[in-house]
Amino acid sequence: MSQTAEQELALAEESAPTTRCRILATAERFFREIGYQKTTVADIAKTLRMSPANVYRFFDSKKAINEAVVERVTREVEALIATIAAAPGLSASERIAEIVRALHSDCLERCRQNPRIHEMVEAAMTESWEVCRHHVDRILAVLVRVVTEGARTGEFAAEDPVLAAQCVHVAIVRYCHPVLVSQYPNGPAPPIEAMIAFVLRALQARPASA
Amino acid sequence: MSQTAEQELALAEESAPTTRCRILATAERFFREIGYQKTTVADIAKTLRMSPANVYRFFDSKKAINEAVVERVTREVEALIATIAAAPGLSASERIAEIVRALHSDCLERCRQNPRIHEMVEAAMTESWEVCRHHVDRILAVLVRVVTEGARTGEFAAEDPVLAAQCVHVAIVRYCHPVLVSQYPNGPAPPIEAMIAFVLRALQARPASA
């Protein structure tokens, strides 16, 4: 083993989580600037003054780096909607409305402000990367929690809260799916508030209006 | 003008609609077999024993042929849902349910049985060809008709039937949009019947179940 490799190994063992984080932060910066497809492991390694082999000690492949960056990006909105689901003083309807708005804004903002990161999330969705399935599962879990709570208190009429939550999730796909949001920014769709009201009518024990 | 060109012109003037139809039928066959991208105007012309110039007398460009084939393909389901919307003896809820099933089956079957035609419709949607906007407009018009009728008889509670119809259309995009249907055949989505029940709950004047 060369001296450099030994030094790298020592460094990696000392601070594995830190090194992992630095690789991801650097990768994300490259992805934002030149896109994930043009970024190479060599670029990332060079910026961090380490060998590509050392990057591969933390991530099996470039795809593993891509997936970890997508996970970082999607974890933010997951944390946000989990907070909304647990926030005190909101009705289940208000929670659903806020969650849908959060998912929509997150997708829209990334599409506008970080088009290259959005592109990567879009590819991840299209190619069904494992990380996306988990992201969708976690969103669904939050919706199930809120719908179940609404059914328990009688605010919602859902006989099967899991199924009802899946229906909510599918009903708002036009507003939260990276492919649809980016490809049809001006496509025909009612305003999101109208769609939220529609979804709540489907959930609520009594019609919202007589 | 060469003799052949003169003969072609005479033929075209005699039976312009027939020639147009034959060009489209031939194009569609090629599209089914080798895909619309690999099909050339020369292929179509050769099969019909005419010059490419003659094909261009009926269609400005290859894209115009593509669009006309997409229109032929999408007109079928439009005719089907228009028939459902006007069929006697059905409630508005039954009409909505049948229309959604028809749109879903149409998309699913094309995806399975004519993957290359599906691919073309998918590209047409993604690239927002004019013909797709019209297709979506015509589907929406049928939904508006049924929701308006349901609101008139008191079956639906929709205050704004146009907006409610748009919400129905957006709610079912997961089941009827070529990109979503083909890219996530096994993706997470409730069974279509559950989604239809959900949408009807949002529309109906009273909850479907107590």
Side-chain angles (χ1 to χ4, degrees):
Chain A
M1 190 179 275
S2 71
Q3 208 194 335
T4 315
E6 269 173 21
Q7 283 170 342
E8 276 180 355
L9 185 57
L11 180 71
E13 277 170 357
E14 261 173 15
S15 57
T18 313
T19 309
R20 213 186 124 85
C21 262
R22 284 170 61 221
I23 293 171
L24 283 186
T26 305
E28 193 175 331
R29 220 177 58 228
F30 269 109
F31 291 178
R32 273 181 214 279
E33 284 163 15
I34 63 169
Y36 80 105
Q37 276 163 324
K38 284 186 189 157
T39 302
T40 65
V41 171
D43 291 334
I44 298 166
K46 199 176 163 193
T47 304
L48 290 168
R49 293 165 197 270
M50 58 175 70
S51 66
N54 196 45
V55 173
Y56 284 118
R57 292 189 53 247
F58 293 90
F59 297 95
D60 287 348
S61 60
K62 199 190 137 193
K63 193 174 175 199
I65 301 179
N66 297 349
E67 290 216 313
V69 172
V70 169
E71 192 172 356
R72 258 168 74 115
V73 166
T74 53
R75 282 284 187 180
E76 282 171 39
V77 74
E78 287 170 22
L80 177 57
I81 65 171
T83 307
I84 297 168
L90 294 180
S91 69
S93 298
E94 286 164 340
R95 284 179 216 280
I96 292 286
E98 281 297 314
I99 288 171
V100 174
R101 287 182 200 119
L103 291 170
H104 180 55
S105 308
D106 177 66
C107 191
L108 208 59
E109 266 171 39
R110 197 164 46 239
C111 181
R112 285 180 188 154
Q113 286 167 16
N114 295 306
R116 290 183 193 282
I117 294 288
H118 184 80
E119 225 172 82
M120 180 176 56
V121 176
E122 197 178 315
M125 293 294 281
T126 304
E127 295 161 19
S128 289
W129 298 1
E130 186 87 338
V131 68
C132 285
R133 211 165 45 72
H134 293 157
H135 175 54
V136 168
D137 287 348
R138 283 188 295 260
I139 293 175
L140 255 177
V142 171
L143 290 171
V144 168
R145 207 180 316 150
V146 177
V147 175
T148 304
E149 177 62 13
R152 197 188 56 78
T153 62
E155 183 180 343
F156 293 160
E159 281 165 34
D160 182 338
V162 174
L163 196 60
Q166 287 177 333
C167 288
V168 172
H169 189 235
V170 158
I172 58 166
V173 70
R174 173 68 181 82
Y175 303 89
C176 311
H177 192 294
V179 173
L180 296 183
V181 169
S182 64
Q183 286 182 355
Y184 313 99
N186 307 311
I192 184 144
E193 291 304 321
M195 196 61 201
I196 290 172
F198 184 84
V199 162
L200 289 178
R201 270 189 60 89
L203 287 172
Q204 287 163 350
R206 271 162 236 158
S209 59
Chain B
M1 192 181 271
S2 72
Q3 209 194 335
T4 316
E6 268 173 21
Q7 284 171 343
E8 275 181 358
L9 185 57
L11 180 72
E13 277 169 358
E14 260 174 16
S15 58
T18 313
T19 309
R20 213 187 123 85
C21 262
R22 284 171 60 223
I23 293 171
L24 283 186
T26 306
E28 192 174 331
R29 220 177 59 229
F30 269 108
F31 291 177
R32 271 179 215 280
E33 283 164 15
I34 63 169
Y36 80 106
Q37 276 164 323
K38 283 187 192 160
T39 303
T40 65
V41 171
D43 290 334
I44 298 166
K46 198 176 164 194
T47 304
L48 291 168
R49 294 165 197 269
M50 57 174 71
S51 65
N54 196 46
V55 173
Y56 283 118
R57 291 188 53 247
F58 293 90
F59 297 95
D60 287 347
S61 60
K62 198 190 138 192
K63 191 172 178 201
I65 301 179
N66 296 350
E67 291 216 313
V69 172
V70 170
E71 191 172 357
R72 258 167 75 116
V73 167
T74 54
R75 283 284 187 182
E76 281 171 40
V77 73
E78 288 170 22
L80 178 56
I81 64 171
T83 307
I84 296 167
L90 294 181
S91 68
S93 298
E94 285 164 341
R95 284 179 218 281
I96 293 285
E98 280 298 315
I99 288 170
V100 174
R101 286 182 199 118
L103 292 170
H104 180 55
S105 307
D106 176 68
C107 190
L108 207 60
E109 266 172 38
R110 197 164 47 238
C111 179
R112 284 180 188 155
Q113 286 167 17
N114 294 305
R116 290 182 193 282
I117 294 287
H118 183 79
E119 225 172 81
M120 180 176 55
V121 176
E122 198 178 314
M125 293 294 280
T126 304
E127 295 161 19
S128 288
W129 299 0
E130 187 86 337
V131 68
C132 286
R133 212 165 44 73
H134 294 157
H135 175 54
V136 168
D137 286 349
R138 284 188 294 261
I139 293 174
L140 255 176
V142 171
L143 290 172
V144 168
R145 205 180 318 150
V146 178
V147 175
T148 304
E149 177 62 13
R152 197 186 58 76
T153 62
E155 184 180 344
F156 293 160
E159 281 166 33
D160 182 338
V162 174
L163 195 60
Q166 287 176 333
C167 287
V168 172
H169 189 235
V170 159
I172 59 165
V173 69
R174 173 68 181 83
Y175 303 89
C176 311
H177 192 294
V179 173
L180 296 182
V181 169
S182 64
Q183 286 183 355
Y184 314 99
N186 306 313
I192 184 142
E193 291 304 322
M195 196 61 201
I196 289 172
F198 184 84
V199 162
L200 289 178
R201 269 190 59 89
L203 286 173
Q204 286 162 351
R206 271 161 237 160
S209 60

